[in-house]
Amino acid sequence: MQTNTPSRSTIRLTRRGRLALAALGAVVAGTAVAVPLLMVNGDDESRPRTLIVPEGWRASQVYAAIDKTLDLPAGSTKKSLAKADLKLPDEAEGNPEGYLFPATYPLPEKATPQKLLARMVETADKKFNGAPIAAGAQRNAMNVYQAVTVASIVQAEAPTRGDMGKVARVIFNRLERGMPLQMDSTVDYALGRSTPSTAADTEIDSPYNSYQRMGLPPTPIDNPGEDAVRAAVSPTPGDWLYFVTVKPGDTRFTADFAEHERDVAESNAQRKRADEAAKK
């Protein structure tokens, strides 16, 4: 049990630097991704032929994209869940978050929200329950649903594919030491937004508040891609407990809190300079 974890009011321990996110033109999972959702057959008036679900989208974003694609009233896809009969794991309790697998899906002439959601869940089931992922989850003392939950946090927190294994290791190291995960991405999910969390945000009463609650959140917080899932079942070896992105391409992982504080101070200074430059 970690008994000398510094106060949350001192610093949020595991986060991506805001400066890096702004410079990369991206934000944590849950925001609209700047990629074409719909693909048509060369004619702007044609009916969309495919639907692209990017890695890291939340279920709410997938629902909205299906509504738009099929020209349905907002909220139609979410309402269709009750009759979609999705083949989800028991732990999901009917919530498809994490199982709307990121991919490009064809849109047949008689496409419906139920059929599209079912196709996404079927794809996730094939990807997640194959031997490599299932065996990897068992190797790390998890079931597949827990592995997908870890992967969803990795997807939200890791600024690059190369950092995914290290972020996964931070998650496992904290769980093994009885430390709260303290991930901003879970708080963002609880608040239904994607803006960086504040100290006040980390006080909210939610099972997704990984500053206040121990262990994993009750469900995935987005729909992770294959790289994130592989990282979750095969984390990079290391003793890291903290990480922060100082600038694009420079995410620093450490097991030493004092070193982490110095990295955070450098990250904050970088962000301040960027904010000042943007105002000129």
Side-chain angles (χ1 to χ4, degrees):
M1 174 70 72
Q2 178 78 15
T3 57
N4 61 345
T5 303
S7 167
R8 287 189 299 276
S9 62
T10 304
I11 187 67
R12 296 198 302 278
L13 301 182
T14 51
R15 63 173 185 172
R16 289 188 287 177
R18 296 181 195 175
L19 170 64
L21 296 178
L24 287 170
V27 287
V28 292
T31 60
V33 178
V35 297
L37 285 179
L38 313 178
M39 297 179 64
V40 297
N41 238 5
D43 180 355
D44 289 344
E45 300 302 319
S46 298
R47 183 181 185 279
R49 303 297 297 273
T50 60
L51 169 65
I52 300 173
V53 177
E55 295 176 351
W57 261 20
R58 295 174 183 167
S60 59
Q61 291 175 283
V62 178
Y63 302 154
I66 294 175
D67 287 344
K68 182 177 180 181
T69 304
L70 301 183
D71 196 24
L72 298 172
S76 296
T77 299
K78 186 175 182 180
K79 291 178 182 177
S80 76
L81 283 173
K83 52 186 177 181
D85 191 28
L86 303 178
K87 307 303 181 183
L88 295 164
D90 292 340
E91 297 92 335
E93 298 182 352
N95 181 355
E97 191 75 83
Y99 281 75
L100 302 177
F101 194 78
T104 299
Y105 294 95
L107 295 174
E109 194 65 33
K110 296 183 179 180
T112 65
Q114 297 97 307
K115 290 179 180 179
L116 284 172
L117 293 173
R119 179 71 179 274
M120 293 174 192
V121 172
E122 288 169 5
T123 303
D125 184 65
K126 291 177 182 177
K127 297 287 186 180
F128 298 158
N129 290 310
I133 302 303
Q138 186 176 28
R139 186 171 60 248
N140 287 282
M142 300 183 293
N143 61 35
V144 171
Y145 190 73
Q146 290 169 322
V148 175
T149 301
V150 171
S152 73
I153 300 174
V154 169
Q155 186 76 63
E157 292 282 346
T160 68
R161 181 185 301 176
D163 288 325
M164 286 182 169
K166 291 182 177 180
V167 172
R169 178 55 65 188
V170 169
I171 293 171
F172 284 114
N173 286 346
R174 284 179 159 265
L175 292 173
E176 290 169 0
R177 287 163 176 74
M179 299 172 67
L181 294 183
Q182 295 182 303
M183 298 282 176
D184 285 3
S185 56
T186 66
V187 176
D188 294 337
Y189 186 80
L191 294 169
R193 68 185 194 195
S194 57
T195 54
S197 300
T198 66
D201 292 337
T202 65
E203 301 298 326
I204 65 167
D205 182 16
S206 169
Y208 291 92
N209 185 352
S210 62
Y211 284 81
Q212 300 284 351
R213 306 293 180 95
M214 300 296 292
L216 294 173
T219 72
I221 61 170
D222 58 49
N223 294 283
E226 288 188 79
D227 290 326
V229 177
R230 282 196 291 265
V233 299
S234 298
T236 305
D239 63 352
W240 312 292
L241 295 172
Y242 316 102
F243 67 92
V244 64
T245 297
V246 175
K247 58 185 177 181
D250 183 9
T251 299
R252 301 178 189 177
F253 295 79
T254 182
D256 181 80
F257 182 67
E259 180 180 351
H260 178 65
E261 282 190 306
R262 293 191 292 271
D263 292 338
V264 170
E266 186 175 345
S267 174
N268 290 339
Q270 290 269 12
R271 183 173 68 250
K272 183 177 180 180
R273 287 194 290 269
D275 290 344
E276 290 174 349
K279 294 177 182 178
K280 292 181 180 180

